[in-house]
Amino acid sequence: MKKLVYVCLTAAIISGCQTIDPYTREQKTSNTATGAGIGAVAGAVLGAAVSSKKDRGKGALTGALVGGAVGGGIGYYMDQQEALLRQELEGTGVSVQRQGDDIRLIMPGNVTFATDSTRIDGGFYPVLDSVVKVLTKFDKTQMSVDGFTDSTGSFEHNQKLSEARAAAVANYLTASGINRLRISTQGYGERYPIADNNSASGRALNRRVEINIRGQQA
């Protein structure tokens, strides 16, 4: 049991390691370290649980090492993917957000589709090509392509429009070589606004397509 406590404390220390975000210059917990810490704790608990009383300490230590390696590997994989996406999409108007082991690309309406259109704007192709470049290199991730609209027009029209836009982006990714099995699509219409629909600038932000890239264990 003492060994289990030691392992958990070590994992907590690892997960608390701080790094400097190269984009915001703010101090943050490394996603690789966080993944390693969580994996180590989970592995320690599981290793102790499946071991005999005599070997429980040894089982916890082994589980922690394995779990830490797996968790850290996922975090590192997504760290590298995030860095490349930020590099490729810098200055495009696309927002890159990190949420745990997931990466969220927010593509506003002014760079994706013309008003009330489901045809991808010609200027958006280079942006999508940059995304494809990264997704091709990091092929162990799944993604959902989600469409959103502002509140102008009927709920039914906006729902169909959001679905068609999500499908258009997904089809472009597929046509560019991304395995269709990695992609799901969803239209949310005017639901889940991220800005005030009472202003033109707010409506422009709400008319968006998001690509949510999910980290997967190997």
Side-chain angles (χ1 to χ4, degrees), residues 3 10 15 18 32 34 50 53 64 80 87 93 101 111 119 130-131 141 148 172 182-183 187 204 209 211 213 216:
K3 287 186 178 181
T10 303
S15 65
Q18 298 292 310
T32 303
T34 300
V50 300
K53 184 175 181 179
Q80 298 304 302
Q87 176 183 317
D101 281 333
V111 297
R119 178 174 297 191
S130 295
V131 174
T141 51
F148 303 84
Y172 186 88
R182 295 175 61 192
I183 307 171
V209 172
I211 298 179
I213 305 169
Q216 300 290 316

Side-chain angles (χ1 to χ4, degrees), residues 8 31 33 43 53 93 128 140-141 148 150-151 153 171 184 196 214 218:
C8 290
N31 287 288
K53 184 175 181 179
L128 286 178
K140 293 181 175 62
T141 51
F148 303 84
D150 59 31
S151 60
N171 289 339
S184 63
D196 187 356
R214 299 184 294 274

Side-chain angles (χ1 to χ4, degrees), residues 1 27 30 50 56 76 89-90 106 114 120 123 125 129 141 188 191 209 211 218:
M1 184 57 67
Q27 193 175 48
S30 165
V50 300
R56 191 159 294 166
Y76 179 78
L89 298 175
E90 183 177 5
I106 303 177
I120 296 174
Y125 290 140
D129 289 340
T141 51
Y188 291 97
R191 291 172 288 170
V209 172
I211 298 179

